[in-house]
Amino acid sequence: MRIWLLNGRPSRLPAAAWALLLTLSEVGITAALSVAALVLELSVLLVSLLLVLAVTAVLIAGALALGRKYSTSTALLARDTGGHLYYIDAADRLPYRRGLAGLWRTEQEARHQLAALWERELPDALQEDGALTGRYPEVVSLLSLREVRHGTYAVCMLRLSDRQYRRTLFLPREMPYRADLFHALEARWDRAAQSPELPAQNPLPLLLSGAAVLLLVALTVLSHPAVGRLPDTLYFPLLAVTSLAVILLLCLLLRRHRGEE
């Protein structure tokens, strides 16, 4: 039997603290650009455009990092004596709460539940083959692995009762007994594939999507009242289309980054 805590550094700042830092950074960017506009006597419309671009970039990058930190701070994997591998995310069983206070409370409760599982329930339950089956999701197959800077994304098929579903797990580099977990996962890779490592991907869809976004961004900027190269009546329609295209491109990038396609 073995238990793997995904959070290899329990002393790290909680996700709510990172969310607060993200919010403060956006406020700082707004204040810095506002001061720059006053000192340099820049156009208000131009500063507003730069502000939207800067805040959006910081928000996207921060949200991705926050998602990784939150998912690893509330989850663990456990293997019983019979070789069954279970994925347990304590946050999945807690009610949704809004705001930073709700995020902080949910994460703290999830950590307390993980500690209780680690100290009391799991050591005894894992001694019995299949004792947790039906109570927690079981990892039945590994679909792909994707190495990234801070760890590895593992796309797995989970089963709970009669329902099977895919879930992407983030495994940080600093987590304890990481090599043993990889052996347990690789023993479950989908035999229909030649290897759990992803094959080379076709970059054409991503390149076309990126080119379309760049074109839409250029048209949006040209139609901004501060630039005035295109009729300003096109600005808000183009802004809406560009926003949707950026979201779709980010979803594609994130899925490819995680190895989900």
Side-chain angles (χ1 to χ4, degrees):
M1 54 167 277
R2 173 80 76 183
I3 301 174
W4 294 272
L5 285 173
L6 297 188
N7 186 359
R9 297 178 182 174
S11 61
R12 290 189 300 185
L13 287 175
W18 285 103
L20 178 59
L21 290 175
L22 178 60
T23 303
L24 292 176
S25 67
E26 294 172 2
V27 174
I29 291 174
T30 303
L33 285 177
S34 299
V35 171
L38 292 174
V39 173
L40 301 176
E41 298 182 353
L42 299 176
S43 168
V44 175
L45 293 176
L46 179 60
V47 171
S48 66
L49 176 60
L50 295 175
L51 179 62
V52 169
L53 295 176
V55 170
T56 300
V58 172
L59 182 61
I60 291 171
L64 293 176
L66 179 61
R68 288 197 302 267
K69 293 179 182 298
Y70 182 71
S71 64
T72 56
S73 68
T74 62
L76 59 79
L77 286 132
R79 182 181 60 199
D80 65 18
T81 54
H84 297 277
L85 183 64
Y86 302 95
Y87 172 73
I88 302 174
D89 190 342
D92 288 345
R93 302 194 171 204
L94 296 175
Y96 171 75
R97 301 183 178 97
R98 295 182 179 179
L100 292 177
L103 178 63
W104 181 86
R105 183 179 174 187
T106 299
E107 186 178 14
Q108 295 306 307
E109 289 184 10
R111 288 184 173 183
H112 287 311
Q113 288 192 13
L114 285 185
L117 287 169
W118 175 281
E119 297 170 1
R120 294 190 293 273
E121 179 179 347
L122 291 182
D124 293 333
L126 294 176
Q127 297 289 344
E128 182 181 349
D129 182 14
L132 298 179
T133 300
R135 296 169 57 189
Y136 298 106
E138 181 180 353
V139 180
V140 294
S141 63
L142 172 66
L143 303 180
S144 68
L145 290 174
R146 167 73 71 173
E147 291 286 342
V148 294
R149 179 181 177 185
H150 299 294
T152 304
Y153 285 105
V155 182
C156 301
M157 185 66 70
L158 305 185
R159 179 176 61 210
L160 182 60
S161 301
D162 296 330
R163 185 171 69 96
Q164 290 195 20
Y165 58 96
R166 292 204 321 173
R167 183 147 186 174
T168 302
L169 313 181
F170 181 70
L171 313 176
R173 292 192 181 279
E174 68 272 12
M175 65 178 296
Y177 308 107
R178 192 169 183 264
D180 292 341
L181 176 57
F182 270 71
H183 291 153
L185 287 172
E186 289 173 352
R188 291 164 170 79
W189 67 267
D190 189 353
R191 300 299 176 181
Q194 295 182 356
S195 168
E197 296 291 340
L198 285 179
Q201 296 177 327
N202 182 10
L204 185 58
L206 189 59
L207 291 176
L208 292 177
S209 300
V213 168
L214 289 177
L215 177 60
L216 286 170
V217 169
L219 293 175
T220 303
V221 171
L222 291 174
S223 65
H224 193 278
V227 179
R229 296 299 180 88
L230 292 176
D232 56 9
T233 54
L234 297 176
Y235 176 69
F236 286 106
L238 283 172
L239 182 62
V241 175
T242 302
S243 300
L244 180 59
V246 169
I247 292 173
L248 293 176
L249 177 61
L250 289 174
C251 290
L252 177 60
L253 286 171
L254 183 59
R255 289 178 62 85
R256 291 171 71 92
H257 180 68
R258 292 177 172 180
E260 295 176 345
E261 61 176 39

